[in-house]
Amino acid sequence: MHVSHRKQDRNLGLCGAIMAALSFAALTLPFAAVAQTIYNDPKGRFDLQIPAGWQVTSDQRVDQISVRKGAVQEIIFVLQQNKSHAMTAKEVIDSTASEFQHQCPTHRALGGGTVTLAGTPGVYSLFTCSDPKSPAVAEVSSVLTENDVLIGLTMIAPLAEYYTNLPTLDGIRDSLHLIGSKSKTGAPTPTESLAMTELKKACIVGAFKQEDCARRIGILRGQEAKPGTAGSEPATSGVYRDPKNRFSVKIPEGWSATSKGEAGSLGVQLRSGSNWINIMPAESATSASEVVLNQEQKIAAQSRSSRKTPFGTMGLIQLFGNGLEVTYDHFTASSVQENAIESYIGGVGKIDGTDHTFMLLVASIDEQQKSHAGAIFLSVAQSIRLAAH
C-alpha cells in the first residue's frame, strides 16, 4: 500500500501496523511461544496479559505486537503522537476500513460503538469478509489519550471461531495498561453485561442464524434477570391491578399508571415523562410471537412501510418464567421530532398454551433513558401476572 511520507511521519509507523493487520487470512510469520503471563513493552510504554496457550511476537519494523492462537489474533500498537497533528482514533478506523475494502471485495462494515482502551473512551468498528472459503471477522478499536498516545487494536478471527474466542480477545484488550498514565475520567459505564455485548456482536457478524441469536439472547437475558441478581431489576413503586381482574403488573419506580378505556377495558399506560409502556389485551392469536408479529404488520400497514417483520435485527426474543412466555422485539424508531427512540413490542401469555389469552405491550423510551430501557421494559413484561380462568 502506498502512503505518503507526510502521513508516514504523522503516524509514526501506523501505516505498517495497519498493513500487517489487514489480512483476514492467517499470517505466516513464525511466532514464539511465551511462557510468561505478562508482556512488558521493551520501550516501557505498556504491559499486557497474555493468556495461557497464546503466542506473542514483536514486529519492530512497524512497532507493534501480535498475540495469537492459531488463526485467531489480536494486533496491538501504542504510539506517541505529535500533539500538533496527532492522528485520531476515527482516522485509524477509517484508514483500516479503506484497506479492508481494497483487500476484500466482499468487505462489509457492520457498524460499531464505544469502547474503553487503557481506561480511556475510544471507538470500535466491526468488519467482515465473506470469502466462501474463509469467512472472517475483524474488529478495529482505537483511542487517542489525553497525553496524545494513540492506541490501536485489531482482532481477527475466522467467523466460525469468532464468538468462542471473543471473551479471550476482550480480556487481552481490557488488560492493556499504559505505564505511568492515569485513566481518563468519564469513561462510559457499560449499559449491558460483557457477555451480552459479545453475543450481540456475534449475531451482527452472522456467527449464528437469526433464530439461534434470538434464542441465545433470550436465555442470557433470563439468566441475568433471575430474582436476587444484584441490579437486575429496577425498583418498583407499586402494583397496578386491572379493574376487570384480567392481569396485574408492577409499576417501575418513578412511573405512573393510568387506566385506558371505560373501567380499564383498554388496559393501562405506564408513563414517566415522555416514556411510556402500553399494556392491553391482545387480539386473537395462538402464541405470544403471533401477537408481536400481528402488531408489527399493523404498524407497517398504517405507515405504508415496506419494512419486514420482525423489525429488530436480532429477531424475536423469548423468555420463560412464572408459567408465562414473554416474546418481544426491540428496534430503534424516530419520534415526530426525529429523535431516536428505543421501541419494544411484546406479547405475554401462558406457557402451557391452555389459555389463548395474551397481553400486548408497546413501549417507547427516549435517548435519555436508553441505557435502562431494556431493563425497564423486561421488568414490566416479566412482572405481569394473568388471572386464572
Side-chain angles (χ1 to χ4, degrees):
M1 178 180 70
H2 174 72
V3 178
S4 68
H5 291 295
R6 180 183 63 81
K7 193 168 185 178
Q8 276 188 315
D9 291 340
R10 183 184 183 199
N11 295 355
L12 297 177
L14 177 59
C15 169
I18 291 177
M19 285 186 64
L22 291 180
S23 175
F24 282 105
L27 297 181
T28 58
L29 296 175
F31 282 69
V34 175
Q36 72 223 51
T37 57
I38 300 293
Y39 172 83
N40 294 290
D41 173 44
K43 297 182 180 180
R45 295 167 297 185
F46 66 94
D47 55 51
L48 188 74
Q49 292 183 12
I50 307 299
W54 287 63
Q55 299 173 313
V56 64
T57 188
S58 177
D59 191 336
Q60 298 301 322
R61 296 172 303 165
V62 289
D63 202 3
Q64 70 180 26
I65 66 167
S66 298
V67 184
R68 177 176 176 171
K69 185 176 183 181
V72 181
Q73 61 182 309
E74 187 154 3
I75 300 166
I76 303 159
F77 64 80
V78 176
L79 305 171
Q80 182 66 53
Q81 296 285 281
N82 186 316
K83 187 173 184 178
S84 64
H85 52 280
M87 190 175 194
T88 67
K90 183 179 184 300
E91 287 175 322
V92 171
I93 291 178
D94 289 346
S95 295
T96 309
S98 177
E99 289 302 320
F100 282 155
Q101 186 173 17
H102 175 72
Q103 292 199 11
C104 178
T106 56
H107 150 280
R108 290 183 64 200
L110 299 176
T114 58
V115 67
T116 298
L117 300 178
T120 301
V123 291
Y124 79 88
S125 288
L126 281 171
F127 304 93
T128 58
C129 180
S130 55
D131 182 338
K133 294 182 179 180
S134 56
V137 181
E139 179 180 328
V140 183
S141 56
S142 184
V143 67
L144 181 65
T145 72
E146 288 182 331
N147 298 325
D148 297 306
V149 174
L150 185 66
I151 302 173
L153 289 87
T154 300
M155 304 176 186
I156 300 176
L159 180 61
E161 300 179 41
Y162 175 67
Y163 182 57
T164 302
N165 286 279
L166 195 49
T168 302
L169 290 168
D170 282 345
I172 296 171
R173 176 200 66 200
D174 294 341
S175 74
L176 179 66
H177 169 247
L178 296 184
I179 304 299
S181 67
K182 295 181 180 180
S183 297
K184 186 176 181 180
T185 58
T189 301
T191 58
E192 61 187 7
S193 69
L194 182 59
M196 183 62 73
T197 297
E198 291 172 343
L199 179 54
K200 287 184 176 180
K201 285 181 180 178
C203 290
I204 289 171
V205 301
F208 307 115
K209 292 182 179 179
Q210 188 181 69
E211 295 81 2
D212 193 15
C213 277
R215 179 183 64 83
R216 288 172 180 264
I217 290 175
I219 291 173
L220 183 56
R221 284 201 189 282
Q223 292 173 340
E224 294 181 346
K226 286 180 179 178
T229 302
S232 64
E233 184 176 341
T236 59
S237 60
V239 176
Y240 173 83
R241 302 186 187 281
D242 174 47
K244 294 185 176 294
N245 196 34
R246 296 166 297 182
F247 70 96
S248 66
V249 61
K250 291 182 180 179
I251 306 169
E253 186 174 23
W255 290 56
S256 62
T258 304
S259 298
K260 294 296 180 181
E262 184 178 352
S265 60
L266 300 180
V268 62
Q269 181 178 80
L270 307 182
R271 177 174 284 274
S272 174
S274 61
N275 305 304
W276 51 265
I277 302 174
N278 289 339
I279 305 169
M280 66 201 83
E283 296 179 356
S284 177
T286 59
S287 67
S289 298
E290 188 175 321
V291 170
V292 177
L293 295 176
N294 285 347
Q295 180 65 19
E296 292 191 345
Q297 288 167 0
K298 184 182 295 184
I299 291 173
Q302 291 174 346
S303 61
R304 297 181 180 179
S305 170
S306 59
R307 191 171 186 176
K308 295 182 179 180
T309 60
F311 293 158
T313 57
M314 301 299 176
L316 298 185
I317 298 173
Q318 294 176 302
L319 299 174
F320 301 93
N322 301 307
L324 296 177
E325 171 193 348
V326 176
T327 297
Y328 72 95
D329 193 10
H330 169 217
F331 54 96
T332 300
S334 297
S335 67
V336 176
Q337 294 77 24
E338 297 187 353
N339 296 320
I341 294 175
E342 298 301 305
S343 299
Y344 296 82
I345 296 177
V348 177
K350 293 184 178 180
I351 293 175
D352 58 19
T354 57
D355 186 349
H356 286 179
T357 299
F358 296 95
M359 302 303 296
L360 168 67
L361 289 80
V362 181
S364 172
I365 302 178
D366 62 31
E367 279 285 303
Q368 293 183 344
Q369 294 209 31
K370 180 178 180 179
S371 61
H372 307 294
I376 293 171
F377 175 79
L378 286 177
S379 71
V380 169
Q382 292 183 297
S383 75
I384 290 176
R385 298 293 180 268
L386 299 178
H389 291 283

